[in-house]
Amino acid sequence: MPQAINDILDDRKLIQSAYRKLLKSIKVDIDEADRKNIRKAYEIAVEAHTEQRRKSGEPYILHPIEVARICAEEIGLGPTAIIAALLHDVVEDTAVTLANIHERFGEKIANIVDGLTKLKHDFNPTNAQAENFKKVLSTLVYDVRVVLIKMADRLHNMRTIGAMPRHKQLRIAAETSYIYAPLAHRLGLYNVKTEFQDLCMKITERDQYDEIAKKLQETRRQRNTYISEFIDPLKEKLDDLKISYRIHGRPKSISSIYNKIKKKNVPFEEIYDLFAVRIIVDVERNKEKPICWQVYSIVTDVHTPIPERLKDWVTTPKSNGYESLHTTVIGPKGRYVEVQIRSERMDEIAERGFAAHWKYKEIKNQQDIYESWLDNIRDLMEDVDKDALEFVTDFKSNLFSEEVFVYTPKGDMKVLPKGATALDFAFSIHTDIGYHCTGIKVNNRLVPMGYQLENGDQVHITTSKNQKPNEDWLKMVVTGRAKSKIKSALREDLRKIADLGKEMIERKLGHMKLDLEVNAEAITRHYGFKNRTDLYASIYNGYINLADLREFNVEHGRIIFDAPKLRRQEIPKAAPSRRSKNDKVSVRPLVLINGEPGDQYDYVFATCCNPVMGDDIFAFVGTNSGVKIHRTSCPNARDMMTNFGYRTLNADWSNHTATEFVANLVITGIDDGPGVIERVTSEISSKLGMNIRSFSIAGDEGYYEGKISLVVANTNQLSQVLRALKSLDGVSTVTRTD
Ligand code: MN
């Protein structure tokens, strides 16, 4: 069949050209042996994936080749990572085994491929994503390259996600923005992070994405004119420095512009810092700092600076390695412009993060910031009791957050996550200092242990041998290290108490001529404890009255319990009342869940995001609240899909029902008297014929803000209202708030 042969030849051409592109993209020096190994990995992968195709129909092998190219070109990794990337899917999906890889490429590469393969298994249907993330991090501690390759893998999958069904797109986007984007940020891969966020927004909020992209395009010429107006006078003075430099102004990413629009509640047209100006100097390492400050002084000579906006990450780099000098100045026409000043080396670290950091490591004499970050992760992982979900939450709050800089009495600087407390500080110095901490002075003033540290605080700890942690301490710390240390101390305590409790019950059963070993399981279950340790500890603490045991019959040395008794805390609350038929929704519209009429699920609309017909939606199965329909842009969506992906279902609007929804709007403007309320209500009720459920308005010095709750049939009608209201006199903004 000539057609088929042609297809095969086309595929082959495609594959070979992708491979050539990969080879060209390698930036580091590679020797003949590396080149041979890369070739070998490529051949094995081509052979192994030969029968497979991607959802889009293209040969599967293009995926690993492209992932390898991203590693080489966009992250700046070397031959080891390139080989591992080429092989990253073979063990999982083909006949090639880990042993084969070990044999041909050695232990290092086999281990990385093994790490990447493990990351893909989702054995556990509950918390699968959280488990998965925990795995990502345990491999990261072992070899950061595993995670960097995983980033490249995810990036390529996100770039080519179009062929996937919609519900999968949503789930992958949720996971990406919940885990991979912040991790990319933490590893200093700013470009990757930004692209993740943009790709996610394109999936979850396509309309808004397109709208901003279009507006950026339309305003490009205008913006470029402004940028030259801003840059030209700077160039003249920078030339006098007689160094080589680059200067440019670039628009910010679509997702970051969108965030600003949402946060400040202003339209696109009113966002002025749509771009940042970057000045990159090419100077020797030892001149970087003075030259950056010289450039700063030139910038602020020409344009007036706003001193509070100066951020000096040249003197103190961010803990992800980022170095740069940022300032905001007032440019022509009184607009705020952010200027970033850095060296070529700093720029490379800003673009490539971890990989670039390695490259410059040898010539760096300060403490290794990544090492201390990895140490923190190891601390978090140490806590074996923690379930995956708790782990992810801790990780996010500890290691993705901003930091606060504080000092020991001797003046040594300590970096802790923002929100860390005085007690966290004690544990960061030494576990024993944490355990025995009795009092804390900050800047010579006595503070409570839960005092939240601020930049520049000097912290002094007093200890006593008799002090030890208690349950309350857990509420006073935020760092994973302190938490896991306190927990293990409490566990140790619990074990001691449990031993005493065990003796007590043994004695009691002895009187009844019963054996503990035979009865322990049944008694534990009877009182509703998860394990014997908890049971014994409760006995010691007197929470349980062992006299109760005499009330039951004994057969062959076993106590026969009738029905399991519930512990007081675990008595279930009255079952939640059925869906309240209050004024929320007047007629229930038909939603299709997984393509079938949703009635059988007895769903309700989530009140956190109030979906309106036409919104992009999904269904979420709650543990005791039934099925709820959320908007895909719901602030809780990401959390739900990432941590409970298995509980989300596809939902669509069925189009043959006419029903009503409640939409909440906030309307702001300049108040020119009582006329506003009248105009707004008459526009909605009389002209558009819609019902207002509630309307409240508050004002201050001519400015007012009103909250309107109104009943609409679908998103079309809603946008009609939005347009109509925006055009009214005295109305400046109208926004939907759910
Ligand atoms: Mn892959």
Side-chain angles (χ1 to χ4, degrees), residues 3 18 21 43 130 140 214 225-226 243 264 286 293 371-372 386 410 418 497 504 511 561 568-569 619 641 647 666 676:
Q3 186 55 47
K21 200 168 142 205
E43 279 163 4
L140 176 138
K214 194 172 136 235
T225 315
Y226 185 84
I243 53 162
K264 297 196 176 158
N286 59 355
W293 283 105
E371 260 320 304
S372 64
K386 197 178 298 187
K410 281 185 193 153
K418 203 168 180 175
I497 293 174
M504 288 165 73
H511 293 318
F561 295 106
R568 212 184 34 171
Q569 309 94 290
M641 288 197 241
R647 274 162 42 187
V666 166
V676 181

Side-chain angles (χ1 to χ4, degrees), residues 60 63 88-89 153 157:
Y60 192 87
H63 167 66
H88 83 270
D89 277 334
D153 183 30
N157 286 334

Side-chain angles (χ1 to χ4, degrees), residues 403-454:
E403 43 256 328
V404 39
F405 300 92
V406 295
Y407 299 89
T408 67
K410 281 185 193 153
D412 293 335
M413 190 174 78
K414 279 263 157 194
V415 186
L416 289 161
K418 203 168 180 175
T421 64
L423 191 54
D424 280 310
F425 175 86
F427 276 96
S428 80
I429 301 283
H430 196 276
T431 308
D432 280 337
I433 296 192
Y435 280 161
H436 302 300
C437 166
T438 50
I440 301 173
K441 275 185 182 173
V442 169
N443 307 328
N444 275 324
R445 250 179 350 119
L446 209 58
V447 298
M449 285 183 177
Y451 166 86
Q452 231 181 57
L453 298 169
E454 278 171 31

Side-chain angles (χ1 to χ4, degrees), residues 98-283:
L98 208 55
N100 297 148
I101 292 175
H102 190 275
E103 202 178 299
R104 292 184 192 222
F105 300 98
E107 184 162 7
K108 196 163 56 179
I109 285 174
N111 278 340
I112 295 176
V113 173
D114 187 32
L116 286 161
T117 308
K118 283 197 188 116
L119 285 184
K120 285 195 289 189
H121 285 288
D122 272 358
F123 327 96
N124 183 354
T126 50
N127 297 349
Q129 278 82 355
E131 286 289 356
N132 205 18
F133 183 50
K134 196 171 174 184
K135 266 185 248 156
V136 173
L137 289 164
S138 46
T139 53
L140 176 138
V141 176
Y142 159 72
D143 188 330
V144 182
R145 276 174 295 198
V146 178
V147 172
L148 295 175
I149 297 167
K150 185 73 193 158
M151 291 278 174
D153 183 30
R154 178 54 63 110
L155 193 54
H156 186 241
N157 286 334
M158 286 290 289
R159 284 175 183 172
T160 53
I161 204 169
M164 288 278 188
R166 172 102 182 125
H167 69 283
K168 279 202 180 150
Q169 291 189 7
L170 287 171
R171 197 176 297 176
I172 293 171
E175 196 186 59
T176 302
S177 64
Y178 191 79
I179 290 167
Y180 289 94
L183 194 52
H185 178 89
R186 200 59 191 69
L187 291 168
L189 298 163
Y190 285 93
N191 290 346
V192 174
K193 178 200 80 167
T194 307
E195 191 175 344
F196 274 151
Q197 287 174 334
D198 275 8
L199 288 168
C200 288
M201 183 184 166
K202 223 165 152 180
I203 293 166
T204 54
E205 287 169 278
R206 184 67 200 234
D207 292 348
Q208 288 87 337
Y209 182 92
D210 289 344
E211 194 184 322
I212 294 175
K214 194 172 136 235
K215 283 184 173 163
L216 272 179
Q217 186 57 37
E218 285 166 359
T219 52
R220 210 174 89 191
R221 183 178 300 170
Q222 200 186 321
R223 189 165 48 248
N224 285 343
T225 315
Y226 185 84
I227 290 173
S228 343
E229 234 177 283
F230 183 90
I231 284 180
D232 288 346
L234 290 177
K235 278 187 182 159
E236 277 173 35
K237 295 202 170 191
L238 287 170
D239 288 342
D240 292 343
L241 285 179
K242 305 266 181 265
I243 53 162
S244 73
Y245 70 92
R246 299 185 281 141
I247 180 166
H248 55 69
R250 260 201 220 141
K252 297 191 171 166
S253 73
I254 291 179
S255 52
S256 73
I257 293 171
Y258 182 53
N259 282 336
K260 212 160 263 181
I261 290 177
K262 277 197 297 193
K263 208 164 101 195
K264 297 196 176 158
N265 200 4
V266 294
F268 178 90
E269 289 70 24
E270 280 171 37
I271 301 230
Y272 288 124
D273 48 351
L274 288 170
F275 62 91
V277 168
R278 195 172 288 166
I279 304 171
I280 300 158
V281 296
D282 191 5
V283 295

